[in-house]
Amino acid sequence: MSWSRALLTALAVCALLLAGSAGCGSGDTQGRKGAGVSPSPVGKVLDDTDEQGRHYREVGKKGAPEVGIEVEPDAAEDSWDVTLTFHDFRFSPAGAKSVAVAGRGTVRLLVDGRTVARLRVPEYRLAADLVPHGTHHVTARLYADDGTVWAVHGKPVESTADITASVAQATPDGSKVPSSGSTSAQGSK
């Protein structure tokens, strides 16, 4: 009979623990506004928007994400190689919730203010036909997962490289060089 007494004691202790934990806090939060568990908001959404109408999400300069951009011609592929560098920023995985999380999101690559790619990786091959003859601005802009633009002091967190595409010239091996120059990168944060 001692085993049944031990079993009953163990069941009673489990029932008390479960009833106690279920009751702890459940009555405390009822009727109080804001007492529930919710993620803290990241930054402040501003009225200002980008070219596509996406609102800026203002964050403080300290710990704000940063992006750098470098664009180089790739003669072998008749394209441009875009390389991004980051500080206090990481890419969100595909399928991430549509919620702003500090220092996380995607990058939109723009050529002359027009979005050409949404990136989740730091390298991209930009087709030469997206940068016809002339000078162009290639911009990497940081976005939160909810579609807002990361911003500091009311300006989007972005970096721009000015590139000049000239008429493609054939090289001795038959490949074409798409450009005469690349990059004076400017960042803003």
Side-chain angles (χ1 to χ4, degrees):
M1 289 253 236
S2 65
W3 68 269
S4 62
R5 204 178 278 166
L7 178 62
L8 287 175
T9 303
L11 286 174
V13 168
C14 287
L16 286 172
L17 287 174
L18 288 174
S21 66
C24 290
S26 64
D28 292 341
T29 60
Q30 291 179 353
R32 289 191 334 194
K33 283 189 172 183
V37 176
S38 65
S40 61
V42 178
K44 176 184 177 188
V45 177
L46 304 177
D47 290 333
D48 296 337
T49 63
D50 68 359
E51 300 87 359
Q52 289 86 30
R54 298 180 186 279
H55 287 275
Y56 291 173
R57 179 173 295 278
E58 179 80 23
V59 291
K61 186 171 181 162
K62 183 177 180 184
E66 296 178 42
V67 61
I69 186 170
E70 182 177 327
V71 184
E72 296 290 333
D74 184 341
E77 298 292 327
D78 191 29
S79 61
W80 296 82
D81 291 332
V82 178
T83 305
L84 306 175
T85 55
F86 302 100
H87 185 69
D88 290 333
F89 182 82
R90 66 190 186 286
F91 288 104
S92 298
K97 288 185 180 181
S98 186
V99 175
V101 175
R104 192 176 86 177
T106 61
V107 173
R108 291 193 190 224
L109 191 65
L110 301 99
V111 175
D112 297 330
R114 187 188 53 156
T115 301
V116 295
R118 183 174 174 199
L119 305 177
R120 292 185 189 276
V121 293
E123 288 103 18
Y124 183 75
R125 177 157 287 141
L126 185 62
D129 62 346
L130 294 173
V131 280
H133 180 74
T135 299
H136 302 279
H137 309 290
V138 180
T139 302
R141 185 177 296 155
L142 303 184
Y143 286 78
D145 290 323
D146 65 352
T148 55
V149 182
W150 290 115
V152 174
H153 299 302
K155 298 193 185 304
V157 176
E158 63 185 26
S159 185
T160 299
D162 295 332
I163 62 173
T164 302
S166 60
V167 177
Q169 299 175 358
T171 61
D173 67 355
S175 64
K176 293 183 179 182
V177 179
S179 163
S180 61
S182 79
T183 79
S184 60
Q186 313 155 10
S188 69
K189 180 188 127 179

